[in-house]
């Protein structure tokens, strides 16, 4: 994988090198060639300039068209007689000689290539069998001439040896630099990919030092690792709770089933003589166990309805104070808890709210019974209702045993049974989860504060629907 990633950097570099080499060669030929009108930038075109030279009375001159061309190219011309003496000139610099020997003409044209900062070309025009030489000079800014010596034998192999040598050296240099650069770039990428593979295998303990170009990526990997670790812990904890719940529920169902089976066998056995009172007692026990199992199954069905938001709530305007007060009265009317100290407090006798009375009663019953069941008989429980401008608050506070942070965190989790009670509790472990889900189905919120040895405070709040709230929702 490492070499594959490096090749992703090197192959484009190699292709760019080849392309740039040919582009550079083409550019070199282009920029090193003469620029301007092709009529005056080569020896051939200079020879052809003779078409612009005319003779009048046996003397040469440049016709107007040729003069315009010379002016456009900022060039000058000098026409010499057969003896090398000037007989005509146009735009010629003052320092240019008026007479040349044959050797000077050859020297300036082929070797020196310049006169007074100008590049010169020499040709001739023939008139009546007489050859008249002419010299055309261009500014160095326009064109320059330099003598180059080369071997014809070597020039034939230039494209095979020279170009390949340049291309090869360039490729070698680029690939070498690209290799070390790509290693530096790809090494972190390889580490990141390996880190993702490690996370995919479920190993979340690996940490990375955020640094360099990929600092943010390393930080994101660390955050992802932390999140996956937390999810794994949550999953393990929920799985443990689920197993405990299945075990407890199986036990809770198995126990009444055993009673139902045993008493049914007694009632069905013709050899066993029972009195009418015993028969009624056994029937009552069977009925009670059946009702208990039915309640467990109803709780299970209800929690999944709440979880999937398919609970058919029938909300209507009502007094939430009456609902909570009736729950408190029902608890105190239970013979087992008649002596418990439960205090009900409210700021006002009417607190209007839109709710489903049946399910909200179920929620507060679960909350209050939780405070009663999981505390000693001498625990003082206070239920307090407050009404504010935009919020309704209901508190269930006790000075009982309290809970650990772990118990508080898991209090409203399905399948969870608290362990802070000394009495054997036959609940399904769904009561508090159902209470929370019902409250949230009424757009409420529930918070818990508890400390071991000092008690627990459960605070339920509902947002009041005022006229402004209705308008906002509309």
């Amino acid at each position: 994988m490492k070499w594959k990633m490096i090749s992703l950097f090197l192959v484009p570099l190699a292709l760019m090198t080849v392309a740039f080499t040919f582009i550079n060669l083409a550019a070199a030929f282009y920029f090193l060639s003469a620029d301007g009108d092709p009529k005056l930038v080569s020896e051939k075109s200079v020879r052809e300039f003779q078409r612009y030279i005319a003779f009048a009375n046996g003397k040469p001159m440049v016709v107007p068209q040729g003069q315009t061309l010379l002016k456009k190219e900022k060039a000058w011309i000098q026409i010499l007689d057969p003896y090398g003496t000037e007989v005509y000139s146009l735009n010629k610099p003052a320092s240019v000689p008026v007479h040349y020997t044959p050797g000077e003409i050859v020297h300036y044209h082929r070797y020196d290539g310049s006169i007074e900062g100008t590049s010169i070309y020499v040709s001739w025009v023939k008139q009546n069998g007489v050859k008249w030489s002419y010299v055309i000079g261009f500014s160095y800014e326009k064109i320059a001439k330099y003598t180059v010596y080369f071997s014809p034998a070597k020039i034939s192999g230039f494209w095979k040896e020279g170009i390949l040598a340049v291309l090869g050296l360039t490729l070698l240099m680029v690939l070498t630099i690209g290799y070390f650069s790509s290693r530096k770039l790809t090494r972190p990428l390889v580490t990141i990919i390996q880190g993702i593979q490690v996370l995919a295998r479920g190993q979340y303990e690996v940490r990375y030092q955020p640094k360099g170009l990929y600092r943010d990526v390393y930080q994101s990997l660390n955050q992802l690792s932390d999140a996956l670790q937390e999810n794994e812990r949550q999953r393990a904890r929920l799985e443990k709770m689920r197993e405990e719940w299945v075990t407890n529920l199986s036990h809770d169902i198995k126990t009444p089933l055993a009673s139902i089976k045993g008493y049914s066998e007694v009632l069905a056995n013709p050899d066993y003589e029972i009195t009418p009172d015993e028969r009624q007692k056994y029937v009552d026990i069977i009925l009670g166990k059946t009702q208990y199992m039915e309640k467990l199954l109803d709780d299970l069905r209800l929690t999944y309805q709440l979880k999937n938001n398919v609970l058919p709530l029938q909300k209507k305007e009502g007094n939430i104070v009456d609902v909570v007060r009736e729950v408190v009265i029902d608890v105190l009317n239970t013979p087992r808890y008649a002596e418990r100290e439960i205090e009900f407090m409210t700021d006002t006798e009417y607190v209007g709210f839109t709710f489903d009375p049946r399910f909200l009663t179920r929620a507060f019953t679960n909350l209050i019974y939780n405070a009663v069941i999981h505390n000693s008989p001498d625990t003082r429980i206070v239920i307090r209702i407050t009404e504010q401008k935009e919020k309704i608050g209901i508190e269930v506070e006790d000075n009982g045993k309290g809970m650990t942070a772990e118990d508080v965190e898991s209090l409203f989790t399905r399948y969870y049974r608290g362990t802070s009670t000394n009495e054997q509790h036959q609940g399904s472990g769904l009561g508090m989860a159902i209470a929370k889900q019902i409250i949230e189905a009424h757009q409420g919120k529930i918070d818990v504060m508890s400390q071991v040895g000092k008690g627990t405070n459960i605070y339920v709040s509902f947002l009041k629907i005022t006229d402004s709230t209705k308008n906002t929702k509309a």
Side-chain angles (χ1 to χ4, degrees):
M1 181 178 63
K2 176 181 177 182
W3 282 105
K4 183 177 180 180
M5 295 186 67
I6 290 176
S7 66
L8 292 177
F9 288 92
L10 295 183
V11 170
L13 286 175
L15 294 176
M16 285 190 294
T17 300
V18 175
F20 288 157
T21 298
F22 285 102
I23 291 173
N24 289 335
L25 288 173
F29 282 115
Y30 174 78
F31 288 109
L32 291 176
S33 64
D35 184 21
D37 193 326
K39 294 180 180 178
L40 288 176
V41 294
S42 68
E43 294 188 5
K44 179 180 178 182
S45 59
V46 171
R47 288 197 300 270
E48 293 175 351
F49 189 76
Q50 60 181 281
R51 73 181 68 174
Y52 301 111
I53 298 176
F55 288 84
N57 299 323
K59 293 184 178 181
M61 60 176 293
V62 177
V63 300
Q65 186 178 358
Q67 295 178 15
T68 302
L69 184 59
L70 291 170
K71 184 177 180 181
K72 178 182 178 181
E73 298 298 329
K74 297 180 180 180
W76 57 267
I77 189 170
Q78 185 180 42
I79 302 177
L80 308 176
D81 63 16
Y83 303 103
T85 302
E86 177 185 303
V87 294
Y88 176 88
S89 67
L90 180 66
N91 303 326
K92 183 192 73 171
S95 57
V96 173
V98 296
H99 179 78
Y100 302 87
T101 65
E104 288 176 331
I105 288 291
V106 173
H107 176 78
Y108 286 133
H109 179 61
R110 287 296 180 189
Y111 302 104
D112 189 11
S114 65
I115 298 178
E116 297 298 329
T118 60
S119 300
I120 67 169
Y121 287 85
V122 180
S123 187
W124 66 88
V125 58
K126 192 173 182 180
Q127 176 68 17
N128 297 328
V130 179
K131 290 185 177 180
W132 301 75
S133 301
Y134 59 90
V135 180
I136 297 179
F138 298 91
S139 171
Y140 274 164
E141 297 177 358
K142 188 70 176 176
I143 189 171
K145 293 173 63 177
Y146 297 94
T147 302
V148 177
Y149 299 92
F150 60 89
S151 170
K154 289 185 177 181
I155 201 66
S156 62
F158 172 74
W159 291 101
K160 182 171 66 175
E161 298 177 0
I163 298 300
L164 291 179
V166 172
L167 183 60
L169 291 174
T170 305
L171 272 175
L172 178 63
M173 179 182 65
V174 170
L175 292 178
T176 302
I177 297 174
Y179 171 73
F180 289 104
S181 299
S182 61
R183 279 192 59 186
K184 189 172 182 180
L185 289 173
T186 57
R187 188 179 301 164
L189 290 177
V190 172
T191 303
I192 291 168
I193 294 173
Q194 290 175 345
I196 295 173
Q197 293 173 344
V198 169
L199 293 177
R201 291 195 294 268
Q203 302 173 7
Y204 310 131
E205 299 80 11
V206 180
R207 308 291 297 180
Y208 300 93
Q209 182 66 33
K211 60 181 180 179
L213 181 63
Y214 300 97
R215 177 194 305 269
D216 293 339
V217 179
Y218 287 129
Q219 289 178 343
S220 299
L221 277 177
N222 291 336
Q223 292 171 359
L224 178 60
S225 178
D226 293 339
L228 291 174
Q229 274 187 304
E230 181 61 26
N231 290 341
E232 182 64 19
R233 286 193 291 267
Q234 291 283 355
R235 189 198 64 78
R237 184 172 60 184
L238 289 175
E239 185 64 27
K240 181 180 179 181
M241 291 179 182
R242 190 188 304 273
E243 292 175 357
E244 291 177 352
W245 176 80
V246 171
T247 301
N248 292 333
L249 190 60
S250 299
H251 177 267
D252 289 342
I253 293 177
K254 185 177 180 180
T255 300
L257 278 176
S259 298
I260 292 172
K261 181 181 178 182
Y263 286 114
S264 298
E265 288 175 349
V266 171
L267 291 174
N269 189 351
D271 298 330
Y272 186 80
E273 295 182 2
I274 54 176
T275 65
D277 291 339
E278 288 178 327
R279 182 182 299 275
Q280 185 61 43
K281 178 182 177 182
Y282 296 160
V283 170
D284 290 341
I285 291 173
I286 291 172
L287 180 61
K289 299 299 183 181
T290 302
Q291 291 173 341
Y292 171 72
M293 292 174 59
E294 185 178 19
K295 183 178 183 302
L296 286 179
L297 295 176
D298 286 342
D299 284 352
L300 184 61
R301 178 177 56 84
L302 177 59
T303 185
Y304 278 98
Q305 284 181 322
L306 289 165
K307 176 185 176 184
N308 295 290
N309 297 319
V310 294
L311 186 67
L313 293 177
Q314 298 178 358
K315 296 183 180 180
K316 60 182 180 179
E317 183 74 24
N319 185 8
I320 201 169
V321 174
D322 291 342
V323 173
V324 180
R325 180 186 282 117
E326 289 176 5
V327 173
V328 174
I329 293 172
D330 288 342
V331 173
L332 291 175
N333 284 339
T334 303
R336 189 174 184 180
Y337 306 118
E339 302 300 324
R340 291 296 182 97
E341 184 182 357
I342 303 178
E343 183 178 356
F344 178 76
M345 303 172 62
T346 179
D347 296 337
T348 177
E349 286 299 319
Y350 184 87
V351 177
F353 186 61
T354 303
F355 59 94
D356 186 315
R358 181 166 64 98
F359 285 108
L360 206 61
T361 298
R362 175 77 174 272
F364 285 113
T365 298
N366 290 353
L367 293 177
I368 295 173
Y369 265 108
N370 183 74
V372 172
I373 292 171
H374 291 274
N375 288 299
S376 59
D378 59 346
T379 299
R380 179 173 179 264
I381 300 173
V382 178
I383 290 89
R384 186 181 297 107
I385 299 178
T386 58
E387 182 181 20
Q388 301 176 10
K389 184 177 180 180
E390 298 180 351
K391 187 172 66 173
I392 301 170
I394 300 98
E395 284 184 87
V396 180
E397 184 178 14
D398 66 69
N399 61 350
K401 299 176 181 179
M403 292 180 288
T404 64
E406 181 181 358
D407 285 337
V408 171
E409 186 178 357
S410 304
L411 182 61
F412 299 110
T413 304
R414 294 194 308 275
Y415 324 121
Y416 181 76
R417 262 199 184 103
T419 57
S420 59
T421 178
N422 290 328
E423 61 177 284
Q424 185 178 2
H425 178 49
Q426 293 184 337
S428 62
L430 299 172
M432 296 301 286
I434 289 174
K436 183 174 186 291
Q437 289 175 315
I438 291 174
I439 289 168
E440 290 178 345
H442 286 80
Q443 287 74 50
K445 183 181 179 183
I446 185 166
D447 297 296
V448 181
M449 292 184 295
S450 186
Q451 189 172 352
V452 176
K454 294 187 177 181
T456 301
N457 181 290
I458 298 177
Y459 183 76
V460 178
S461 60
F462 296 104
L463 182 66
K464 294 178 66 175
I465 301 179
T466 61
D467 291 338
S468 60
T469 306
K470 292 179 180 178
N471 293 335
T472 301
K473 289 185 177 181

